[in-house]
Amino acid sequence: MNLTIPGPKGLPVSGNLLAFRRDPLGFLQEAASEHGDIVHFRFGPTRHIYLLTNPEHIKEVLVVKHEHFRKAKGLQVAKVVVGEGILTSEGKKHLRQRRLMQPAFHRERIAAYGQTMVDLTLAMIEQWRDGEEIDVHDEMMKVTLAIITKTMFGKGLKEGVDKIGQAIEVGLHYVSTKASSFIDIPLSVPTRSNLKFREAAETLDKAIYAIIDERRRTGNTERTDLLGMLLAARDEDDGTGMTDKQVRDEVMTIFLAGHETTANTMSWIWYLLATHPEAEKKLQSELDEVLGGRTPTVEDIPRLAYVNQIISEAMRLYPAAWAISREVVDEVDIGGQTFHPGETLMMSQYVMHRNPKYYDNPDQFLPERFAGDLLKRIPSFAYFPFGGGPRICIGNNFARMEAALLLAAIAQRCRLPLANPERPVEPEPLVTLRPKNGLPVRVEKRS
Ligand code: HEM
């Protein structure tokens, strides 16, 4: 522990844990503004956490000295679902998997999924009745899950999106409650939630292994969907591919990491547009001008400047990944301080993205701030919604493309004003940052 590093006062045993749990975002913001570049706090008697608020230090951890760190403990919980996929694996194993998978996420490759994204979005809007109230957060979860399932398995899906979708929801729920729970009940204990999770995991395993098996048997490893690309991937050095277990773990990883984050980002976009009518008008003018009533395609995205600015600004104010952490493995110096194995360094997108040093009127929704060279003027880790370094989000292009198509296709057809404008919408920082209690809106179809 480093006694020279300042931080907020805590209670004798629990330290700062209760204050953090009561209001994680407020706690981190206050700690950053009162104590400077590196802030020390304690969770319980022995867990020492250091919050980094200087973008240069964040870069040191995520990029320059990344080999001194591994993903922090919180993520280990996810292993019950995703096994040793790229989100949770470390070192050589991570590097090999990342190299194998990277090509599947290149911009040109994923462009082929644009049509699927738009088709599923239009099918969702089709179900909405003019004037009806919907929980748009729920709708965004469903559509992003349908998109990731379809782009993952293409036509190979026999079980149906619904059944797989429900099983994934159970898995996600299990991981997020376990990650934020004090008591660690092993999966072998037959509690109701453990049994439900085990059943869901079995459904998913069966479905995934059946598809892998059929593809391998029929020699159909065409690269038309993500699964095909995973099956066809070969190591550059030794030419070997992935085992079935590894493919299964990566499929689960992409399910876990690849839909809730985008769904949350979309929900925040709808909330921000509903509360900023001038931005909504500007968006509609752009959509009418660029698309002229035509359904958007991937090729339109670069010309939809305001759409892209809205997405960047929503991810600044409400970053779905609101904080990431690393555990020190080998002693390391960051910002003139020495950190020891077992200590945790935390970096918060939410805190950095609202720092007045880098952003004028940091709490205001101003998509136009991204119109100029803002990202060139500020340090790279003053804005990092997708993380950085060798573990930067592998799905960042996928997510941005999906968000742009969803936003353009929906806003072109509907307005979504809040159903209860007087009810405050609060961010809830669980594993990801989502609107607490959903986001009820009223569908107003545009004529
Ligand atoms: C707006 C949407 C998204 C946001 C904000 C987001 C954010 C992030 C962040 C911050 C990380 C780094 C975590 C860390 O360093 O500890 C990450 C990693 C990852 N993301 Fe995303 N993500 C999004 C969408 C997606 C999508 C759509 C996919 C897949 C299709 C995906 C797959 C992954 C994977 C596999 C990793 C682990 C990469 C590695 O460790 O090598 N994400 N994401």
Side-chain angles (χ1 to χ4, degrees):
M1 179 180 81
N2 199 323
L3 288 169
T4 57
I5 299 180
K9 273 208 166 36
L11 297 170
V13 179
S14 57
N16 308 94
L17 189 59
L18 296 180
F20 176 80
R21 289 200 159 204
R22 209 173 301 128
D23 174 15
L25 302 174
F27 174 84
L28 291 179
Q29 268 196 313
E30 200 177 311
S33 71
E34 284 186 10
H35 300 282
D37 279 0
I38 308 181
V39 189
H40 168 247
F41 34 87
R42 190 166 49 79
F43 289 171
T46 55
R47 265 194 82 197
H48 294 278
I49 318 276
Y50 299 89
L51 174 72
L52 306 181
T53 67
N54 179 327
E56 289 307 319
H57 299 168
I58 296 178
K59 186 174 172 183
E60 293 257 294
V61 174
L62 294 181
V63 187
V64 186
K65 297 180 179 170
H66 71 91
E67 280 169 345
H68 290 260
F69 299 94
R70 63 172 183 189
K71 293 257 176 129
K73 289 195 187 84
L75 205 74
Q76 308 299 328
V77 172
K79 283 195 179 172
V80 294
V81 179
V82 298
E84 287 280 329
I86 56 166
L87 184 72
T88 45
S89 58
E90 298 287 346
K92 279 212 182 78
K93 172 146 199 183
H94 171 260
L95 195 67
R96 175 176 190 267
Q97 286 307 116
R98 180 91 196 198
R99 273 213 320 252
L100 279 172
M101 290 171 72
Q102 194 78 55
F105 288 92
H106 279 164
R107 213 185 292 267
E108 312 81 66
R109 275 277 168 80
I110 57 172
Y113 305 141
Q115 193 59 47
T116 303
M117 292 174 178
V118 172
D119 289 348
L120 290 167
T121 306
L122 296 186
M124 168 185 67
I125 300 174
E126 199 55 16
Q127 304 291 315
W128 297 350
R129 296 281 150 258
D130 192 27
E132 89 172 311
E133 188 181 313
I134 55 166
D135 179 347
V136 76
H137 178 62
D138 220 39
E139 294 291 301
M140 294 299 107
M141 287 290 277
K142 280 195 218 141
V143 75
T144 51
L145 181 58
I147 288 171
I148 198 73
T149 311
K150 194 89 196 194
T151 51
M152 192 82 218
F153 296 129
K155 294 197 209 87
L157 207 60
K158 293 223 176 66
E159 290 287 335
V161 171
D162 279 355
K163 195 162 173 203
I164 293 210
Q166 277 160 13
I168 289 168
E169 285 302 330
V170 173
L172 273 176
H173 184 75
Y174 183 82
V175 172
S176 59
T177 41
K178 219 172 150 80
S180 55
S181 155
F182 274 119
I183 321 155
D184 187 20
I185 303 172
L187 193 53
S188 52
V189 180
T191 60
R192 215 151 72 115
S193 98
N194 277 353
L195 289 174
K196 200 169 161 196
F197 170 72
R198 268 156 44 186
E199 194 188 319
E202 218 169 278
T203 305
L204 281 174
D205 275 356
K206 243 169 109 185
I208 294 172
Y209 281 126
I211 301 173
I212 294 176
D213 189 50
E214 190 191 300
R215 296 261 179 119
R216 291 229 201 260
R217 225 169 3 89
T218 55
N220 176 11
T221 49
E222 266 180 71
R223 300 175 185 215
T224 50
D225 54 28
L226 284 170
L227 179 66
M229 289 190 220
L230 297 182
L231 289 170
R234 289 289 172 271
D235 192 294
E236 269 175 31
D237 295 335
D238 60 17
T240 57
M242 297 185 207
T243 61
D244 284 1
K245 167 76 168 71
Q246 193 64 48
V247 173
R248 176 257 174 226
D249 286 355
E250 299 301 3
V251 167
M252 288 292 207
T253 296
I254 291 165
F255 273 131
L256 183 83
H259 92 289
E260 196 183 354
T261 37
T262 318
N264 287 334
T265 303
M266 290 312 302
S267 299
W268 291 117
I269 288 175
W270 299 123
Y271 167 69
L272 289 163
L273 288 174
T275 48
H276 295 82
E278 62 308 333
E280 192 195 17
K281 263 203 203 96
K282 191 167 164 181
L283 167 68
Q284 282 171 353
S285 307
E286 176 176 276
L287 294 174
D288 293 346
E289 208 171 287
V290 175
L291 302 173
R294 208 167 34 76
T295 298
T297 65
V298 173
E299 288 73 40
D300 293 313
I301 297 174
R303 286 185 297 135
L304 294 169
Y306 201 56
V307 163
N308 290 303
Q309 289 162 29
I310 289 173
I311 296 168
S312 298
E313 179 70 342
M315 289 197 297
R316 182 184 72 82
L317 282 170
Y318 296 103
W322 55 282
I324 54 181
S325 297
R326 292 292 187 268
E327 187 183 312
V328 180
V329 180
D330 298 314
E331 191 173 291
V332 62
D333 285 350
I334 303 287
Q337 298 285 352
T338 305
F339 295 95
H340 305 97
E343 292 177 335
T344 301
L345 303 192
M346 189 189 253
M347 296 144 279
S348 165
Q349 284 88 343
Y350 187 88
V351 169
M352 298 306 290
H353 292 183
R354 289 176 184 246
N355 187 330
K357 228 195 260 179
Y358 312 112
Y359 303 98
D360 297 333
N361 303 314
D363 294 331
Q364 256 182 46
F365 176 61
L366 289 171
E368 292 78 3
R369 72 171 87 234
F370 282 94
D373 62 350
L374 174 72
L375 291 179
K376 293 209 177 88
R377 279 186 288 112
I378 60 175
S380 47
F381 285 88
Y383 184 74
F384 63 124
F386 293 108
R391 308 211 67 144
I392 193 170
C393 177
I394 203 171
N396 60 355
N397 290 326
F398 186 105
R400 283 212 67 122
M401 175 174 121
E402 183 180 12
L405 292 174
L406 273 163
L407 175 55
I410 298 171
Q412 191 182 36
R413 291 167 174 77
C414 307
R415 294 188 61 241
L416 300 172
L418 298 179
N420 317 303
E422 62 300 330
R423 200 201 80 171
V425 174
E426 282 172 42
E428 185 176 36
L430 293 175
V431 176
T432 55
L433 191 65
R434 55 161 79 167
K436 197 172 183 172
N437 306 320
L439 190 64
V441 299
R442 195 164 300 287
V443 176
E444 255 182 40
K445 295 223 169 168
R446 289 178 79 202
S447 45

